[in-house]
Amino acid sequence: MLQAAYVYHPDSLNYVFRRDHPFDQRRLVMTMELLEQVQALPENAIHIPSQPLNEQLLQRVHIPEYIETVKQLSLASPTEPYLSQAGQYGLDYDETPFFKGMHQSAAAIAAGSVYAAELVMSGKAEHALHLGGGLHHALPQKGAGFCIYNDASIAIRHIRDHYGARVLYIDTDVHHGDGVELSFYTDPEVFTYSIHETGKFLFPGTGRVEERGAGEGFGCTINVPVEPYTEDDSWLECFSTVLQQVLECARPDVIVSQHGCDAHALDPLSHIHCSMRIYREMPKLIHQAAHDFCNGRWVALGGGGYDIWRVVPRAWSLLWLEMSQHAILSEIDRHPLLALPTAWLARWQQESPVPLPDTWLDDVSRWEPMPRRSEITERNRHICELAASYLK
């Protein structure tokens, strides 16, 4: 059995809305090249899915009318009535505009996440990472938040249909994992746990602590919406405290986690003020949880992250380094300001519009502390206590 598999589908690079869109798949290439520079991505760890996405599985999450509209709008010259229906399905706005070939690339992303889940559930790999995945905002009947097909929901549905396993979905993206929550809102065998910036100020506006599931799934939805300008200590306190209680309640057979890295202070699409430290610590906590509760079964997906130069490659590399237990991790833990490879920096600084950081973690001693830190921390603690009380 492999300790960790790195799933990569080349067609995911074709998931491009337009050149100036914040969703930029160069982050996948940058991450792979960074890992290669530190000899952390051997060829035998990389797995490329060979099978297309099963259409029946796609229909287990999305309605047929939506799928057909996506297919038709993927053509070089879409026709009526699909052009006029694009808005109905969330595909004609700047946020998630339709583009040529979007069905093929979105289906490839979903196929990658299903393949990662199959590697783990079949026992071929203990852990599997698919950074192209994590498109958690897509809804059954529409695209949203840069997401066409909800690959996370599709992968979980595959696990449920083929293995009957009890799933804990953990979402660390700064935006609430609304699409996955909705997919399993009434399912008592799928727990969803999302920590995110409060929807009072941020897309998609959902994820209140009072959202707890419905019907047989009541109590299986857990949300921790934190305050804007939350910093590392408070974010990690909330995440770790509630995670442990969720694990005790859920008792999962497998963990599926989403690792959007847009809670960083440099991300342009949120208001959280965390550093790279949370992207070292959260994977460590999830990794330990997988071994404590799931015999190691852990499927990790990518997600948001819109500072592709200074944040995403480091954050996602740290995730893989934890998952694969690479030796450089101990060096980073001893020396948080360990230098990034000079060859990688030289390669990407040529394209980057901003100076690249040259260390694995951030030197937060240079950062100005947030005003209202104590007030923000206390508000977050209150939310954590409320979320935890709902689990009892």
Side-chain angles (χ1 to χ4, degrees), residues 269-282:
L269 300 187
S270 70
H271 314 99
I272 300 298
H273 203 72
C274 289
S275 77
M276 199 58 59
R277 178 183 155 207
I278 69 169
Y279 300 114
R280 170 66 188 107
E281 296 299 327
M282 288 192 294

Side-chain angles (χ1 to χ4, degrees), residues 74 128 158 175 198 263:
S74 298
H158 172 77
H175 302 90
T198 172

Side-chain angles (χ1 to χ4, degrees), residues 1 115-125 158 163 297:
M1 178 191 292
Y115 183 65
E118 181 62 23
L119 285 173
V120 169
M121 297 308 299
S122 66
K124 293 178 181 177
H158 172 77
Y163 295 95
R297 286 185 290 268

Side-chain angles (χ1 to χ4, degrees), residues 193 195 231-243 277 377-378 380-381 384-385:
Y193 168 40
I195 182 171
E231 297 170 281
D232 289 343
D233 286 347
S234 182
W235 180 283
L236 289 171
E237 178 185 346
C238 290
F239 179 73
S240 60
T241 301
V242 178
L243 173 63
R277 178 183 155 207
T377 298
E378 285 307 312
N380 288 342
R381 282 177 180 160
C384 288
E385 291 169 1

Side-chain angles (χ1 to χ4, degrees), residues 34-71:
L34 178 54
L35 290 169
E36 288 166 353
Q37 283 289 327
V38 296
Q39 289 79 50
L41 199 58
E43 286 189 12
N44 64 353
I46 301 175
H47 292 254
I48 299 175
S50 58
Q51 298 297 320
L53 182 67
N54 185 312
E55 181 93 5
Q56 291 182 331
L57 183 55
L58 183 58
Q59 291 185 13
R60 293 281 280 133
V61 172
H62 296 286
I63 64 171
E65 295 83 357
Y66 174 66
I67 298 169
E68 183 60 27
T69 300
V70 171
K71 289 179 177 179

Side-chain angles (χ1 to χ4, degrees), residues 208-341:
R208 295 177 301 112
V209 70
E210 293 83 6
E211 293 173 23
R212 301 173 60 189
E216 292 184 353
F218 183 74
C220 300
T221 296
I222 304 93
N223 286 301
V224 177
V226 301
E227 290 291 300
Y229 307 109
T230 292
E231 297 170 281
D232 289 343
D233 286 347
S234 182
W235 180 283
L236 289 171
E237 178 185 346
C238 290
F239 179 73
S240 60
T241 301
V242 178
L243 173 63
Q244 191 58 41
Q245 296 178 69
V246 170
L247 286 162
E248 294 289 347
C249 187
R251 293 284 166 179
D253 300 311
V254 59
I255 291 173
V256 178
S257 55
Q258 195 267 20
H259 295 264
C261 45
D262 39 10
H264 194 280
L266 294 176
D267 193 275
L269 300 187
S270 70
H271 314 99
I272 300 298
H273 203 72
C274 289
S275 77
M276 199 58 59
R277 178 183 155 207
I278 69 169
Y279 300 114
R280 170 66 188 107
E281 296 299 327
M282 288 192 294
K284 188 191 301 186
L285 291 167
I286 296 171
H287 192 182
Q288 186 61 52
H291 285 288
D292 288 346
F293 288 85
C294 311
N295 293 319
R297 286 185 290 268
W298 177 23
V299 181
L301 309 174
Y306 307 102
D307 190 319
I308 71 164
W309 309 104
R310 297 173 292 182
V311 177
V312 183
R314 292 188 295 161
W316 281 354
S317 292
L318 288 168
L319 169 59
W320 172 251
L321 294 174
E322 172 62 37
M323 186 171 264
S324 61
Q325 286 293 280
H326 192 270
I328 197 175
L329 267 185
S330 59
E331 294 183 55
I332 295 171
D333 288 341
R334 287 195 304 269
H335 308 287
L337 300 184
L338 185 71
L340 292 170

Side-chain angles (χ1 to χ4, degrees), residues 5-9 45-49 111-113 115-117 119 128-132 320:
Y6 190 103
V7 177
Y8 171 71
H9 201 307
I46 301 175
H47 292 254
I48 299 175
S113 294
Y115 183 65
L119 285 173
L129 173 63
H130 179 225
L131 290 175
W320 172 251

